[in-house]
Amino acid sequence: MFGELRTYNIKAMILEELEDAEKRLETVERLVQADVCEEALKRCAESEVPTINVIADEEFLPFGDKTFDLVVSSLSLHWVNDLPRAFQEIYRVLKNDGVFIGAMFGGETLYELRCSLQLAEIEREGGFSPHVSPFTAVNDLGNLMGRAGFNMLTVDTDEIQVHYPGMFELMKDLQGMGESNCAWNRRCLLHRDSMLAAAAIYQEMYGEEDGSVPATFQIYCMIGWKPHESQAKPAKRGSATMSFGELGKVNEIVSKSKKDDT
């Protein structure tokens, strides 16, 4: 489904990891919360764990090598300019056998809005420019994490649909969340005619029977480990005792083995 990248359902794994972390709450020495926005850090909820707030850029983390046992990122990596460097920085600050758990918006996020705006601009202005921030494809995500050095990678994707009365309500909500287009070369002006045409196209192509329109948010969940000698390793090449051609005869081979044992 996703090219060469093997994907797995990791929601249960993430929940299990978080439950274990909650049980070991008394063993957590400190929690470091980092964000490029000072106001966002001020609004963070209080925690029982000793907490330090640090204004930091994901591409230039101000921490020493092998500092943390766990790094968590929740729906912020789509704002990063240099995603490969951000993964390299996360890898650098993790201790050996440390784990990175993250979630970020994927490439199909807001595809209804993007398509409607593009069709409207082509119709009214003879061309279009992007009005939604760019997102990463799932196969690129796995490749980037592997290049950064992570192993035992697990990537899963999920989609959430939110319904709005219309396109303008959706755009107002995105602006209120601070999720407007972040591309530096974007067009600052979108003509009124194009906006009205986009809203009509959105309603015509994706509208529901009750008059609302859906907005799709695709979310990638990922886990990657920093290598350590204690981790499971694949068997050596050529060490297999059965070929793929024999898999169809596996029941026969098992039955024969049991007879030999008796």
Side-chain angles (χ1 to χ4, degrees):
M1 182 176 178
F2 301 109
E4 296 181 357
L5 178 65
R6 298 177 62 194
T7 60
Y8 303 85
N9 188 332
I10 62 169
K11 299 179 186 64
M13 295 173 60
I14 292 177
L15 289 174
E16 186 176 334
E17 290 281 350
L18 293 177
E19 288 175 359
D20 290 343
E22 186 176 358
K23 293 177 182 178
R24 300 192 303 269
L25 187 62
E26 65 276 4
T27 66
V28 177
E29 295 181 3
R30 59 173 176 165
L31 171 66
V32 178
Q33 298 181 140
D35 199 291
V36 73
C37 177
E38 182 178 1
E39 291 300 320
L41 289 173
K42 290 180 180 179
R43 292 196 295 268
C44 290
E46 295 185 1
S47 172
E48 299 178 9
V49 179
T51 304
I52 302 172
N53 292 338
V54 179
I55 300 175
D57 188 336
E58 292 94 333
E59 300 171 37
F60 305 95
L61 294 177
F63 309 111
D65 297 352
K66 301 180 181 179
T67 300
F68 301 107
D69 298 289
L70 168 68
V71 174
V72 178
S73 176
S74 178
L75 301 180
S76 64
L77 288 175
H78 64 288
W79 281 101
V80 173
N81 291 317
D82 189 349
L83 190 57
R85 181 180 177 87
F87 282 140
Q88 291 169 6
E89 282 290 279
I90 294 172
Y91 181 87
R92 179 183 63 82
V93 301
L94 275 174
K95 296 179 180 178
N96 293 339
D97 202 31
V99 60
F100 166 60
I101 300 177
M104 67 181 296
F105 290 115
E108 295 300 315
T109 297
L110 298 175
Y111 72 87
E112 305 98 338
L113 177 61
R114 283 183 287 161
C115 183
S116 301
L117 289 170
Q118 290 174 7
L119 290 175
E121 279 195 292
I122 291 173
E123 177 190 349
R124 297 304 172 94
E125 304 178 35
F128 70 90
S129 60
H131 295 284
V132 178
S133 298
F135 298 103
T136 304
V138 66
N139 55 325
D140 294 334
L141 181 62
N143 292 335
L144 291 175
M145 291 184 67
R147 284 170 51 189
F150 291 101
N151 66 0
M152 296 193 294
L153 298 177
T154 310
V155 179
D156 191 20
T157 181
D158 196 8
E159 287 188 357
I160 299 173
Q161 273 198 346
V162 183
H163 287 78
Y164 291 87
M167 187 192 78
F168 294 109
E169 287 79 7
L170 166 60
M171 296 180 72
K172 184 178 180 180
D173 201 16
L174 291 173
Q175 186 178 21
M177 291 188 292
E179 291 292 347
S180 300
N181 186 10
C182 66
W184 68 270
N185 58 345
R186 69 187 184 278
R187 288 179 57 187
C188 298
L189 176 65
L190 187 58
H191 295 291
R192 179 180 176 84
D193 288 346
S194 298
M195 292 280 286
L196 293 174
I201 292 172
Y202 204 138
Q203 184 67 49
E204 179 66 25
M205 293 181 63
Y206 306 106
E208 303 286 355
E209 292 183 359
D210 60 359
S212 65
V213 295
T216 300
F217 296 87
Q218 185 181 41
I219 300 175
Y220 299 151
C221 300
M222 69 205 87
I223 295 179
W225 295 80
K226 191 167 184 177
H228 187 265
E229 58 184 10
S230 64
Q231 295 173 354
K233 296 178 177 60
K236 293 183 178 180
R237 190 178 183 88
S239 61
T241 58
M242 182 178 296
S243 68
F244 282 106
E246 295 176 305
L247 291 179
K249 304 176 183 178
V250 63
N251 292 331
E252 179 183 341
I253 294 174
V254 171
S255 299
K256 182 179 179 181
S257 177
K258 289 181 177 180
K259 290 181 179 178
D260 293 343
D261 293 339
T262 56

